[in-house]
Amino acid sequence: MHKDIATPMRTKEILDKYGFSFKKSLGQNFLIDTNILNRIVDHAELTEHSGAIEIGPGIGALTEQLAKRAEKVVAFEIDQRLLPILEDTLSPYSNVKVIHSDVLKADVQAVMTQEFDKQEDVMVVANLPYYVTTPILMKLLEERLPIRGIVCMLQKEVGDRISAKPGTKEYGSLSIAVQYYTKAETVMIVPKTVFMPQPNVDSAVIRLTLHDEPPVKVKDEDFFFRVTRSSFAQRRKTILNNLTSQLPDGKQKKESIQAALQQAGVQESRRGETLTIEEFAKLSNELYPYFH
């Protein structure tokens, strides 16, 4: 009988067998609770025809649970030392492919075309390395990959920022960027005790379901994201002050910025965190002609 990887004993056994030591720089924390892994996979709603992409499989704890439910699993692992371990721990599963690569540098689209020929439904399911969570998420979303969505474990604080609503202190340009591409929800809070080694913070599992169409229409996406980032540059400043100091030639174009705010129906004394995604879209569309 094959024993699950995600138990404290089995994890320790595997690490000892290979003399593996955790690299802090890679944010390695392995899950040692099968129950929680199963609940993460539940939230991905996979069928036997689904494909799953995993990032940072570690010693294969989550990979194994994905392999039991998806038709095919492709995992990106940056740490070469883990490759022989994964080959060993995942040997019972013929539907897993591990790619030795930094997902931030990988051509994920090409890998998907190559690896998922039959699977129409693909989900990203991952326990993301905490130090690069945001760049990985933004890459997956910006590249408009043909995925249904993402279920991932990340630092609770980042999860709070991603699913935040306007008017809260967690709400910021990351909330808007992710919510532009997806419907974001926090589906689980995970205590630090179920990891080895234990991280210093609690974790959250978020589910991002891709929109068919973005919730707002913008003239230029890059400019829209630039406006939202600029509006949060200094949270205590008004939107007018932030845009004036952050947009190119903003100081010279202050009157144009004031005019755009007026046309968008946004008072210049408001702070970025009070604007909804609809208001940001309207504002960036009004500002766009002045900056192009």
Side-chain angles (χ1 to χ4, degrees):
M1 176 60 194
H2 175 66
K3 294 202 303 262
D4 277 341
I5 296 166
T7 63
M9 254 181 72
R10 179 101 167 89
T11 299
K12 203 174 153 2
E13 209 176 278
I14 294 165
L15 298 177
D16 290 348
K17 175 176 172 183
Y18 285 90
F20 183 84
S21 55
F22 293 93
K23 259 197 189 151
K24 221 180 157 82
S25 65
L26 292 178
Q28 288 169 332
N29 301 91
F30 299 159
L31 268 165
I32 48 172
D33 185 324
T34 312
N35 204 0
I36 284 190
L37 287 168
N38 276 317
R39 284 175 57 203
I40 293 172
V41 180
D42 286 344
H43 286 297
E45 297 174 350
L46 303 170
T47 71
E48 65 273 22
H49 304 300
S50 300
I53 295 173
E54 191 188 1
I55 294 151
I59 58 172
L62 176 60
T63 327
E64 167 177 65
Q65 305 305 328
L66 289 169
K68 289 176 184 176
R69 294 205 231 171
E71 186 169 10
K72 180 160 190 187
V73 184
V74 174
F76 291 88
E77 178 51 65
I78 192 172
D79 188 351
Q80 196 162 0
R81 303 172 306 153
L82 287 164
L83 302 180
I85 303 183
L86 286 163
E87 202 169 306
D88 176 4
T89 58
L90 298 172
S91 57
Y93 306 99
S94 57
N95 58 338
V96 177
K97 172 151 190 180
V98 177
I99 295 174
H100 177 219
S101 159
D102 174 354
V103 76
L104 287 171
K105 299 190 180 119
D107 185 342
V108 181
Q109 185 84 49
V111 169
M112 286 184 70
T113 308
Q114 199 181 336
E115 300 297 335
F116 298 119
D117 49 347
K118 298 196 299 292
Q119 295 79 17
E120 292 294 306
D121 174 63
V122 180
M123 281 294 279
V124 175
V125 188
N127 170 16
L128 289 176
Y130 289 173
Y131 71 108
V132 284
T133 301
T134 307
I136 290 174
L137 281 178
M138 290 322 297
K139 173 190 164 98
L140 297 172
L141 297 174
E142 283 164 2
E143 291 185 0
R144 293 254 188 330
L145 300 169
I147 55 177
R148 173 163 52 89
I150 301 171
V151 171
C152 66
M153 166 114 70
L154 33 67
Q155 227 167 311
K156 181 176 175 300
E157 172 212 5
V158 179
D160 290 344
R161 280 167 47 208
I162 283 172
S163 54
K165 299 278 176 276
T168 61
K169 66 176 197 307
E170 288 77 30
Y171 182 69
S173 53
L174 178 64
S175 327
I176 293 161
V178 174
Q179 291 169 31
Y180 177 79
Y181 293 108
T182 71
K183 173 181 176 235
E185 44 192 339
T186 299
V187 289
M188 253 170 92
I189 303 300
V190 182
K192 47 191 147 190
T193 47
V194 299
F195 293 93
M196 181 187 291
Q198 276 193 31
N200 307 328
V201 291
D202 282 337
S203 304
V205 176
I206 59 163
R207 178 169 55 199
L208 306 175
T209 309
L210 266 68
H211 294 308
D212 294 332
E213 286 288 318
V216 289
K217 289 258 180 290
V218 296
K219 287 179 180 166
D220 180 290
E221 279 184 6
D222 290 341
F223 185 68
F224 166 70
F225 290 128
R226 182 168 201 162
V227 168
T228 58
R229 278 197 305 272
S230 302
S231 304
F232 288 96
Q234 291 185 293
R235 292 188 75 97
R236 319 233 356 209
K237 279 190 169 181
T238 63
I239 188 140
L240 175 64
N241 285 343
N242 268 327
L243 293 173
T244 312
S245 61
Q246 297 295 319
L247 290 177
D249 304 325
K251 290 192 176 49
Q252 288 80 358
K253 295 184 178 173
K254 185 170 180 176
E255 285 175 12
S256 307
I257 295 173
Q258 286 173 303
L261 282 162
Q262 201 172 351
Q263 285 153 342
V266 175
Q267 285 173 315
E268 48 188 69
S269 59
R270 285 174 66 185
R271 289 181 181 171
E273 68 206 48
T274 67
L275 273 73
T276 62
I277 190 167
E278 290 76 18
E279 289 179 303
F280 274 118
K282 222 187 236 166
L283 177 58
S284 79
N285 289 344
E286 293 293 352
L287 283 165
Y288 185 72
Y290 297 116
F291 288 90
H292 287 83

